[in-house]
Amino acid sequence: MAKITGKCWVASDYVMAYDIIIQRFWTSPIDKAENAKWVMAGVAEEFNRENGFVEGGFTFIVAAHNFAGGGKSIEHVVAGLMGAGIQAVFANSFSRLQFRNAINYGLPFITCRDLAKGCQTGDELEWDTESGTVLNLRTGEAFHSVPVAPFVADVAAEGGLMNFIRNKIADGSIHELH
Amino acid sequence: MIPMTITEKIMALNSGRDKVVPGQLVWVDVHSIMTMDYLGEQCFKQFRSLGVNEVFDKERVICVSDHLVPPPNEQFATMLNRWRQIVKEHEIAYFYDLGRQGIAHQIMVEQGHVLPGKVSIGTDSHANTYGAVGAVGNAIGVTDAAVAMATGKCWFRVPESVKFVIKGTWQPYVMAKDLSLHIMGMMHWNGHLIYKTLEFTGEAIEALDMAGRMTLCNMTVDLGAKNGIVAPDAVTQAYLSGVAKGDWEMIASDPDAHYDAVYEVDVTNVGPTVALPDKLDDTVPVEKVVGRKFNKAFVGTCTNGRVEDFAVMAEILEGKQIHRDVNMIVVPASQAVYLEALKRGYLQTLVEAGAAIDTPSCAACAGIHTGVAGDGDIVLSAGNRNMKGRMGSKNAQIYLTSPAVVAASAIRGEITDPRETGTY
Ligand code: SF4
């Protein structure tokens, strides 16, 4: 699976975690499909309805600074984005809490400095997961993102940290975590 | 040996390495893991789904009831019942439930569950508070908690360090909170601090008590940082003696360690500071907003619900009356804080002045219960967050400031400089 192609949604700076999942859902169960229904409800008026964001059919989010920041650690954020079909988020910087959650769930959060400047919402992008190159198919412009770290790739390949750990418990290599 | 910062040393020490470098991903041994009422059940469920039945150490998985207690409705009461059941099933040694409760971060520090030179994690964003004793304290999600409960380990990206050298002398009625808000205003959300460790050093930090250090480290998460830390010293040793659950190491940064940036603040020039509604980094010296009216006052939370905070308030409110247009709610951060503030008479002074005291919990801080904000409310709060809707209604405004400013302002019903109330 070296290349992933799909439509992107371009976000502004400081898309906050507590706007991606609004307060009403902070105590609801973590469930990709359920969390996706109202994901992004607080970010833009057009997403503030059931399946508002999901219906956009986006594969990528292209954000700028401090994506999913604001200090909320709830995992509904990443679960909701995955449930909505998002396969990678590119941004200048991420909040650390959600960066962790994303790695643990196997949703790549990728640092890519200038992509936001060269994309509009709805553009088709092609992401080469190995080289890190992101191609905007509308403009033909290519961008370079930070390649995914080996540990992160391993976790994603096993379907998230839980499976990664389960497999290590099963094969007895859990004590070798270093 | 390459020189390292205190945070790098702690990460190296607890991952069995001689050195680590910023950006490196490492598995670290955690000393303690905290989880609480509204996420705890999910943590244990995830943990069980790993196929493990017993937590790695029953004395080092700490469970607390803080966000939902006492339960304001049936839904939370039922959630709490499930929470109690699951904690019991796992034979957790330290369960701070209603009656012994407190805000988790306060409990972790005051009960000695976090120690210098160790790494502790919690399923709540203000786990940064643990840096006050010279620990690496970090917030993690349910998945990380589940893995750590099973293995005693958590992965980390070693952060870059930024040093804040705090010089000068604290002026009367200027608190650690004012310094936090000052730094917030100075750095803005410009991204310089995102994912960084903030190391606080200098004579003004050495002069700070543990309550002040907790406030300062607590709010580093609101600056977007990974964690905040104060190297352990005599203040730390005195605080931990008799409460520490385990041995610890006094660790300090090497003098020639690398920092991404070094900032200097002279605290002599920092006065009482206020963050304007909705934006944490929109901070001004109190003089700029003196005279603004408000109708609710709130002091409590993991940022400012400690004995030292109530001492300052009691001093200001002694023999005074809170303005009739202001409702003030005061919530001690833990039962231990509550009891101590009672014994010292601070709570009596506050009640006599017309404040309402509530049982330790997060209270209105997260807009869940106990004094939530309604439409049109203007709240003067000593908490840590003021975005729209944080304490309840989206149509309420929240100013953030220190307990001293809240106390002084409550007398007049308008924002007041605490350095002036003596003459009022
Ligand atoms: S007091 Fe407020 S900030 Fe602190 S843990 Fe509770 S809800 Fe979070």
Side-chain angles (χ1 to χ4, degrees), chain B residues 297-321:
Chain B
F298 176 59
V299 180
T301 79
C302 54
T303 306
N304 274 128
R306 285 176 267 280
V307 176
E308 292 78 354
D309 299 314
F310 304 141
V312 176
M313 294 176 73
E315 187 184 319
I316 294 171
L317 285 165
E318 175 82 59
K320 304 264 176 28
Q321 281 298 304

Side-chain angles (χ1 to χ4, degrees), chain A residues 27, chain B residues 68-81 367-369:
Chain A
T27 50
Chain B
L68 309 179
V69 288
N73 58 36
E74 219 178 295
Q75 181 203 349
F76 289 158
T78 308
M79 255 174 100
L80 280 160
N81 287 344
I368 296 177
H369 61 86

Side-chain angles (χ1 to χ4, degrees), chain B residues 112-420:
Chain B
H113 293 297
V114 292
L115 297 172
K118 312 268 187 202
V119 178
S120 286
I121 54 180
T123 56
D124 181 273
S125 40
H126 286 93
N128 285 26
T129 313
Y130 315 155
V133 298
V136 169
N138 247 197
I140 41 100
V142 168
T143 303
D144 291 305
V147 168
M149 283 172 169
T151 63
K153 287 173 187 284
C154 187
W155 67 265
F156 282 101
R157 177 188 174 281
V158 179
E160 292 83 11
S161 292
V162 169
K163 180 150 79 170
F164 280 87
V165 184
I166 316 293
K167 298 184 160 168
T169 354
W170 295 88
Q171 299 301 299
Y173 295 122
V174 176
M175 306 180 72
K177 179 63 161 292
D178 298 304
L179 177 61
S180 277
L181 292 174
H182 177 85
I183 292 173
M184 207 71 76
M186 174 179 139
M187 302 307 300
H188 289 286
W189 280 100
N190 62 7
H192 290 168
L193 301 180
I194 289 175
Y195 228 113
K196 307 280 160 79
T197 281
L198 312 189
E199 189 175 324
F200 297 102
T201 65
E203 63 206 22
I205 297 300
E206 286 159 26
L208 205 52
D209 55 25
M210 196 51 72
R213 295 178 187 190
M214 286 170 78
T215 304
L216 199 56
C217 290
N218 174 279
M219 288 201 69
T220 55
V221 70
D222 302 298
L223 279 157
K226 181 187 184 104
N227 66 313
I229 193 163
V230 175
D233 60 9
V235 173
T236 325
Q237 275 175 313
Y239 184 92
L240 288 174
S241 85
V243 298
K245 298 195 169 51
D247 303 327
W248 77 81
E249 284 193 56
M250 299 290 277
I251 292 185
S253 293
D254 292 321
D256 47 353
H258 171 81
Y259 294 91
D260 265 23
V262 179
Y263 298 96
E264 252 188 48
V265 178
D266 186 341
V267 82
T268 323
N269 305 324
V270 174
T273 305
V274 180
L276 303 180
D278 304 343
K279 277 217 166 151
L280 202 49
D281 60 351
D282 208 353
T283 69
V284 294
V286 68
E287 297 92 305
K288 290 256 168 77
V289 285
V290 157
R292 292 205 193 175
K293 302 258 190 246
F294 64 96
N295 65 315
K296 281 194 174 161
F298 176 59
V299 180
T301 79
C302 54
T303 306
N304 274 128
R306 285 176 267 280
V307 176
E308 292 78 354
D309 299 314
F310 304 141
V312 176
M313 294 176 73
E315 187 184 319
I316 294 171
L317 285 165
E318 175 82 59
K320 304 264 176 28
Q321 281 298 304
I322 290 168
H323 196 278
R324 58 180 294 167
D325 295 342
V326 173
N327 302 129
M328 187 195 270
I329 296 183
V330 174
V331 188
S334 70
Q335 289 285 74
V337 168
Y338 196 177
L339 190 57
E340 186 61 25
L342 262 183
K343 285 184 186 160
R344 295 198 199 175
Y346 303 149
L347 297 183
Q348 180 170 346
T349 305
L350 298 182
V351 172
E352 282 168 354
I357 314 291
D358 208 80
T359 200
S361 78
C362 294
C365 177
I368 296 177
H369 61 86
T370 313
V372 298
D375 288 352
D377 274 335
I378 303 175
V379 187
L380 190 62
S381 162
N384 48 42
R385 289 181 177 166
N386 63 342
M387 54 276 206
K388 267 199 188 8
R390 168 73 186 184
M391 293 178 69
S393 168
K394 284 219 174 209
N395 301 315
Q397 295 181 18
I398 308 167
Y399 288 90
L400 294 183
T401 189
S402 73
V405 174
V406 177
S409 305
I411 301 169
R412 292 188 188 172
E414 52 188 47
I415 297 178
T416 301
D417 187 335
R419 294 168 298 191
E420 280 175 19

Side-chain angles (χ1 to χ4, degrees), chain B residues 64-92:
Chain B
V64 186
S65 303
D66 60 359
H67 281 65
L68 309 179
V69 288
N73 58 36
E74 219 178 295
Q75 181 203 349
F76 289 158
T78 308
M79 255 174 100
L80 280 160
N81 287 344
R82 290 199 306 264
W83 164 234
R84 287 172 186 136
Q85 185 57 34
I86 212 159
V87 173
K88 204 170 179 184
E89 275 166 22
H90 289 87
E91 300 167 334
I92 296 301

Side-chain angles (χ1 to χ4, degrees), chain A residues 88-161:
Chain A
V89 181
F90 301 96
N92 289 358
S93 61
F94 297 97
S95 95
R96 93 159 257 286
L97 295 169
Q98 296 302 338
F99 178 74
R100 288 195 77 82
N101 290 343
I103 288 178
N104 290 347
Y105 272 66
L107 173 65
F109 266 25
I110 297 161
T111 309
C112 187
R113 296 218 177 271
D114 298 314
L115 191 57
K117 290 179 205 140
C119 284
Q120 295 166 7
T121 291
D123 284 356
E124 286 283 317
L125 305 182
E126 181 189 270
W127 171 45
D128 185 322
T129 59
E130 272 153 35
S131 69
T133 306
V134 183
L135 186 64
N136 184 330
L137 297 175
R138 179 179 64 86
T139 63
E141 201 176 352
F143 299 86
H144 298 285
S145 65
V146 176
V148 177
F151 161 71
V152 177
D154 289 350
V155 169
E158 297 193 35
L161 188 70

Side-chain angles (χ1 to χ4, degrees), chain A:
Chain A
M1 203 177 59
K3 281 185 181 157
I4 298 175
T5 308
K7 215 162 56 154
C8 72
W9 176 70
V10 179
S12 58
D13 279 349
Y14 308 123
V15 169
M16 294 300 186
Y18 51 75
D19 287 327
I20 297 177
I21 296 292
I22 55 175
Q23 189 159 11
R24 179 147 66 99
F25 300 106
W26 291 353
T27 50
S28 58
I30 296 164
D31 179 302
K32 288 179 187 164
E34 280 301 312
N35 301 151
K37 285 185 184 162
W38 287 89
V39 76
M40 295 285 181
V43 176
E45 211 32 62
E46 76 240 49
F47 301 141
N48 195 6
R49 60 187 173 85
E50 194 164 331
N51 293 321
F53 185 73
V54 175
E55 283 166 12
F58 303 111
T59 304
F60 303 111
I61 291 175
V62 177
H65 222 20
N66 198 18
F67 181 77
K72 276 225 82 64
S73 58
I74 50 169
E75 297 182 9
H76 310 65
V77 170
V78 169
L81 293 174
M82 292 178 87
I86 297 300
Q87 296 201 39
V89 181
F90 301 96
N92 289 358
S93 61
F94 297 97
S95 95
R96 93 159 257 286
L97 295 169
Q98 296 302 338
F99 178 74
R100 288 195 77 82
N101 290 343
I103 288 178
N104 290 347
Y105 272 66
L107 173 65
F109 266 25
I110 297 161
T111 309
C112 187
R113 296 218 177 271
D114 298 314
L115 191 57
K117 290 179 205 140
C119 284
Q120 295 166 7
T121 291
D123 284 356
E124 286 283 317
L125 305 182
E126 181 189 270
W127 171 45
D128 185 322
T129 59
E130 272 153 35
S131 69
T133 306
V134 183
L135 186 64
N136 184 330
L137 297 175
R138 179 179 64 86
T139 63
E141 201 176 352
F143 299 86
H144 298 285
S145 65
V146 176
V148 177
F151 161 71
V152 177
D154 289 350
V155 169
E158 297 193 35
L161 188 70
M162 292 295 286
N163 277 340
F164 176 86
I165 295 291
R166 249 177 231 127
N167 295 343
K168 290 219 176 305
I169 290 175
D171 71 13
S173 64
I174 191 72
H175 302 292
E176 290 158 22
L177 282 181
H178 190 59

